[in-house]
Amino acid sequence: MFDANRNDLVLGIVGAGLMGRGIAQIAAQAGLKVLMHDARADAATEACESVGLTLSALAAKGKIDPAAASAAAARISVADTLRQLAACDIVIEAIVEKLDAKRELFERLEAVVGGDCVLVTNTSSLAVTSIAAACRQPERVAGFHFFSPVPLMKIVEVIDGVLTAPAVGDALMALARRMGHTPVRAKDTPGFIVNHAGRGYLTESLRIVGEGIADFPAVDRILRSAVGFRLGPFELLDLTGLDVSHPVMESIYDQYYQEPRYRPSPIARQRLAAGLLGRKSGRGFYIYVEGKALAPAQPAVPAAEPVPLWIAPCALPARDALLARLQAAGVALDGGERPAAGSVCIVLPLGEDTTTAALALGLDATRTVAVDPLFLSAHATLMTTPVTTAKVRDAAWAALAASGLAVDVIHDSPGFITQRVLAMIVNIACDIAQQRVATAEDIDRAVTLGLGYPKGPLALADALGAATVLQILDALHAFYRDPRYRPSPWLIRRARLGVSLLTPEN
């Protein structure tokens, strides 16, 4: 097994595209000798020149030392044939995402490299075990999944196939650290950690739109403003491109034998068929002009006649905070035990829709609205029943806006938008931990670095309260009667025990 810290370590890279170039750059900067090969004539030469220019540009900007940049560039050279990779200690494959092509390459590499050379794949969606099955020595084959752009995305998944020798994964973990990246270790399962964990954010948001609860811009605004995601789900899909994202959704769904948690949406399939790929096609969920999205303006706050607001009693701290905010803004409040005949009724449900909450409290559904109690610092999601009158909706909307909150109005949905999406994100992460795909710490680390979420999903659940997340999922499951929302055993047990979702098994 190679020593990741050896000064004379030789790394081969097959595939001189964007991913291969990024890996070559960070490896050369870490002091490794790099040999690049590509099946297309001149592609490896172009890649070496491109990496050299990138290193020079970084030096010119003062981000790296000029001498270090020159030395790194000098460590990268072209291998015109696979045979020139014979002396490599490790070879990374970064070619097209086709199983047959990868298997054929690994068979050819085995005929060239030494018996102790480690062969790794940068696949993002194919099974490492299936690739290794073509090899005489599958124990030396593993996954080493980088994210693009490699120099900036400081995360790499180290994937153990069913037959991968543990020492191979150990050596790759050390090599990743030498190359300045944070490694996380995963078993060979569909989507590994990051692509697996990312299913909840996208598929649940698509489902919300598919139910007519809110439109694309509203879902994006709410998840950005209320929760703190850097990009809304539809902005993210436009950035990645539906030609990339939708096949991954379908692949993970099918590889898990149609597990309902990963169910894709016909909305994405239809828009992909229409060529609405996103930024790359100039139109996706948004229209792009000179690379900028033309997002519709948020609806204006209505001019509504003031009506007293009655806030339903509940044990959540959000109720007192909302009352204080409305009082400070001079909003008329109804402080009775039951709402007066002319008051707007506001409920603060967890996991339930407005209709269910109104009926449970014996309220008039025509004058009842709900406010999401989980995220009320600067944004309010206002939810109506199917029969809430426009006068009631607008009065509540105007009052919340007068208190300094940005307001989005949505149709009735159990769990609003934030509760649904976050509960799905947490539940999938819990099931990744339950399946022992990765440790709880590595799941949070991978999602934070790989997807840019404000917190790892398990830490996020701890902040909300595991029991709260479980309550939301139970309510969603009861309402929809869909196994998509069944809670993971990892979540159920830790919520019942009152311990952190990051708590490992003893």
Side-chain angles (χ1 to χ4, degrees):
M1 189 56 53
F2 69 85
D3 178 356
N5 295 308
R6 260 176 42 203
N7 291 329
D8 60 346
L9 199 64
V10 182
L11 169 69
I13 299 174
V14 181
L18 184 64
M19 189 65 71
R21 296 178 187 194
I23 297 169
Q25 178 186 324
I26 64 169
Q29 286 183 263
L32 280 72
K33 179 180 178 181
V34 180
L35 297 175
M36 295 200 72
H37 173 77
D38 196 281
R40 182 174 68 84
D42 300 326
T45 300
E46 293 168 7
C48 289
E49 293 171 352
S50 174
V51 174
L53 290 172
T54 298
L55 291 167
S56 296
L58 291 171
K61 294 176 181 178
K63 295 187 176 181
I64 59 174
D65 180 75
S70 297
R75 283 191 279 270
I76 307 173
S77 57
V78 173
D80 293 317
T81 66
L82 284 181
R83 289 196 172 278
Q84 291 178 277
L85 302 178
C88 289
D89 299 289
I90 175 173
V91 176
I92 299 177
E93 165 274 310
I95 65 170
V96 64
E97 278 289 274
K98 293 184 179 178
L99 180 58
D100 289 345
K102 292 181 187 291
R103 280 181 157 182
E104 190 269 339
L105 173 61
F106 274 61
E107 284 183 296
R108 293 174 61 200
L109 283 170
E110 269 205 317
V112 171
V113 301
D116 57 352
C117 176
V118 170
L119 302 177
V120 298
T121 173
N122 185 56
T123 184
S124 61
S125 60
L126 299 175
V128 173
T129 302
S130 295
I131 296 169
C135 297
R136 296 189 309 274
Q137 295 177 249
E139 67 277 3
R140 64 167 166 179
V141 179
F144 208 34
H145 179 217
F146 290 87
F147 295 80
S148 185
V150 175
L152 300 180
M153 296 292 286
K154 301 290 188 179
I155 180 76
V156 58
E157 294 174 319
V158 175
I159 302 110
D160 294 285
V162 171
L163 296 176
T164 303
V168 169
D170 294 343
L172 290 174
M173 294 286 285
L175 180 60
R177 295 187 187 99
R178 177 177 174 179
M179 293 162 71
H181 274 45
T182 298
V184 290
R185 196 142 180 190
K187 289 197 305 187
D188 187 19
T189 53
F192 312 131
I193 303 175
V194 174
N195 283 330
H196 189 168
R199 295 312 91 207
Y201 191 51
L202 301 177
T203 61
E204 191 63 16
S205 296
L206 282 161
R207 179 163 178 154
I208 287 166
V209 171
E211 289 179 22
I213 292 162
D215 59 15
F216 308 125
V219 173
D220 280 348
R221 275 197 309 270
I222 289 168
L223 289 169
R224 277 198 327 267
S225 302
V227 185
F229 287 101
R230 288 188 297 191
L231 290 174
F234 301 104
E235 294 168 324
L236 179 59
L237 286 168
D238 272 1
L239 178 64
T240 306
L242 272 184
D243 55 332
V244 175
S245 298
H246 186 65
V248 172
M249 291 186 218
E250 290 188 328
S251 173
I252 291 177
Y253 179 60
D254 289 336
Q255 288 183 74
Y256 272 103
Y257 295 101
Q258 291 76 51
E259 161 58 55
R261 290 191 182 107
Y262 312 128
R263 188 185 300 128
S265 166
I267 292 174
R269 184 185 64 236
Q270 291 166 349
R271 296 179 77 86
L272 174 59
L276 303 177
L277 306 183
R279 290 176 181 268
K280 65 180 70 175
S281 66
R283 186 178 175 190
F285 294 100
Y286 299 92
I287 295 172
Y288 293 85
V289 176
E290 296 181 353
K292 293 185 178 180
L294 300 180
Q298 188 169 358
V301 178
E305 179 183 346
V307 178
L309 305 185
W310 179 83
I311 314 296
C314 71
L316 296 172
R319 182 179 188 271
D320 290 340
L322 180 59
L323 281 170
R325 177 183 282 273
L326 292 170
Q327 286 173 337
V331 173
L333 296 172
D334 176 351
E337 291 187 10
R338 297 290 299 171
S343 297
V344 170
C345 306
I346 295 181
V347 292
L348 304 168
L350 281 175
E352 295 179 336
D353 62 356
T354 317
T355 298
T356 301
L359 293 175
L361 292 170
L363 302 176
D364 178 359
T366 65
R367 57 191 181 104
T368 301
V369 294
V371 173
D372 188 344
L374 292 190
F375 300 95
L376 264 174
S377 59
H379 181 277
T381 302
L382 182 67
M383 189 165 68
T384 60
T385 74
V387 295
T388 301
T389 67
K391 177 182 177 182
V392 165
R393 177 201 64 205
D394 291 351
W397 185 351
L400 290 167
S403 74
L405 293 166
V407 181
D408 271 289
V409 181
I410 66 172
H411 296 290
D412 217 1
S413 164
F416 296 86
I417 289 173
T418 60
Q419 294 179 25
R420 284 180 65 161
V421 171
L422 292 179
M424 283 300 293
I425 289 171
V426 169
N427 200 39
I428 288 173
C430 284
D431 226 44
I432 295 173
Q434 183 64 48
Q435 295 172 38
R436 276 51 171 186
V437 172
T439 66
E441 291 81 0
D442 269 359
I443 293 167
D444 268 13
R445 192 175 294 121
V447 170
T448 305
L449 293 174
L451 296 175
Y453 287 3
K455 288 183 179 180
L458 303 178
L460 177 61
D462 283 348
L464 295 174
T468 296
V469 177
L470 181 59
Q471 179 181 341
I472 293 166
L473 284 167
D474 280 339
L476 285 164
H477 192 227
F479 183 90
Y480 285 109
R481 304 174 189 180
D482 185 342
R484 172 182 181 83
Y485 299 109
R486 70 193 189 283
S488 167
W490 185 277
L491 170 62
I492 293 170
R493 294 188 181 104
R494 283 155 184 77
R496 288 176 176 175
L497 290 168
V499 299
S500 165
L501 290 185
L502 288 160
T503 305
E505 301 283 349
N506 283 334

